[in-house]
Amino acid sequence: MSEENIATIVKILESVPDAQQEKIIQHLREYIADIEDELKWDKSFQKTQNKLVEVARLAKQQIPQGKRQTMDYEQL
């Protein structure tokens, strides 16, 4: 983050009462945690994307051949 952006955030925080600052900081922490979580999911999905495409292609081939199996959601 650039120094200019950090300075802007500091100015915004300084312009509100202390009690509001705490709320803003808490929201920022939660927001950043959500972003980090999404980045982890994106990275995890990227690692498995090729395998998912491969499995989908196999399923498409097996359906016309009658080799498909109905998914049992209770076993997931």
Side-chain angles (χ1 to χ4, degrees), residues 7-18:
T8 300
I9 291 171
V10 170
K11 285 179 187 178
I12 292 169
L13 285 171
E14 289 175 342
S15 71
V16 296
D18 289 347

Side-chain angles (χ1 to χ4, degrees):
M1 181 182 299
S2 72
E3 287 183 31
E4 184 178 324
N5 288 338
I6 293 170
T8 300
I9 291 171
V10 170
K11 285 179 187 178
I12 292 169
L13 285 171
E14 289 175 342
S15 71
V16 296
D18 289 347
Q20 295 300 333
Q21 288 178 14
E22 293 299 323
K23 289 180 182 179
I24 292 169
I25 290 169
Q26 183 58 35
H27 284 291
L28 284 173
R29 285 184 179 129
E30 291 171 4
Y31 181 69
I32 292 168
D34 287 345
I35 290 173
E36 289 173 340
D37 190 45
E38 286 198 26
L39 290 172
K40 287 178 188 177
W41 274 105
D42 289 346
K43 188 175 180 179
S44 178
F45 183 73
Q46 286 176 356
K47 288 180 182 179
T48 60
Q49 191 170 12
N50 290 337
K51 185 67 175 173
L52 291 171
V53 170
E54 181 183 323
V55 170
R57 284 188 185 136
L58 179 61
K60 280 186 169 182
Q61 291 172 355
Q62 290 179 342
I63 289 171
Q65 299 170 356
K67 295 181 180 178
R68 67 177 178 88
Q69 291 181 350
T70 304
M71 182 177 277
D72 182 359
Y73 294 105
E74 297 300 320
Q75 291 184 354
L76 289 178

